[in-house]
Amino acid sequence: MQTISVPVSVGELADKISILHIKHERIADADKRAHVAVELEGLRPIWRKLVDAAPELDGFYDRLKAVNELMWDVQDGLRAREAAKLFDDAFIELARAVAARNGERVAIKNEINRLAGSEFIEEKQYQGGA
């Protein structure tokens, strides 16, 4: 099996691992979960070395995972309402929650980047905003 190494920010690594962690907890299919576990176990040692060097990163990982869990739930809600063709107030609130949770996610990732001294920083720009 071939993998590639790609430079990413420390925050991006934490984000990837937190999402894999959530998938491993929530995916019921054993084969899919096994694939997730392989990737997760390949990345965890890299994160562990970073946390050993800067223990304050660990709490930020927990915050990032919590936001990603909320994002997962929001996305599930959106998909369910879309499948049922329910484009009501609840759908609109879920859609708005995507932007709010994503903003939180980027802020946490960039705080991780700052604390870790990451060379890469995630930048976002939205129409009508900075």
Side-chain angles (χ1 to χ4, degrees), residues 7-75:
V8 297
S9 72
V10 177
E12 190 65 30
L13 174 65
D15 190 49
K16 175 74 171 172
I17 293 170
S18 73
I19 292 167
L20 289 168
H21 191 168
I22 295 164
K23 286 181 177 184
H24 195 263
E25 292 172 345
R26 295 190 181 197
I27 290 176
D29 182 282
D31 290 334
K32 289 180 180 180
R33 204 170 49 256
H35 291 140
V36 169
V38 168
E39 189 174 2
L40 185 57
E41 293 313 310
L43 296 176
R44 271 189 174 151
I46 300 167
W47 176 250
R48 181 58 23 215
K49 286 180 187 175
L50 293 165
V51 171
D52 288 347
E56 64 274 17
L57 292 175
D58 222 14
F60 284 93
Y61 172 85
D62 294 338
R63 286 179 50 207
L64 187 57
K65 183 175 180 273
V67 169
N68 279 328
E69 287 170 328
L70 291 172
M71 184 71 92
W72 182 292
D73 295 338
V74 166
Q75 295 288 352

Side-chain angles (χ1 to χ4, degrees), residues 7-16 19 64 68 71 99 101-114 117-126 130:
V8 297
S9 72
V10 177
E12 190 65 30
L13 174 65
D15 190 49
K16 175 74 171 172
I19 292 167
L64 187 57
N68 279 328
M71 184 71 92
R101 298 297 80 78
N102 198 45
E104 292 172 31
R105 192 170 148 242
V106 170
I108 296 167
K109 287 167 61 174
N110 279 334
E111 187 64 18
I112 290 170
N113 289 334
R114 188 189 66 71
S118 183
E119 183 178 341
F120 297 156
I121 302 292
E122 183 170 345
E123 297 294 353
K124 295 282 187 183
Q125 180 173 326
Y126 302 101

Side-chain angles (χ1 to χ4, degrees), residues 5 13 58 77-78 82-83 97:
S5 295
L13 174 65
D58 222 14
L78 277 172
E82 187 167 9

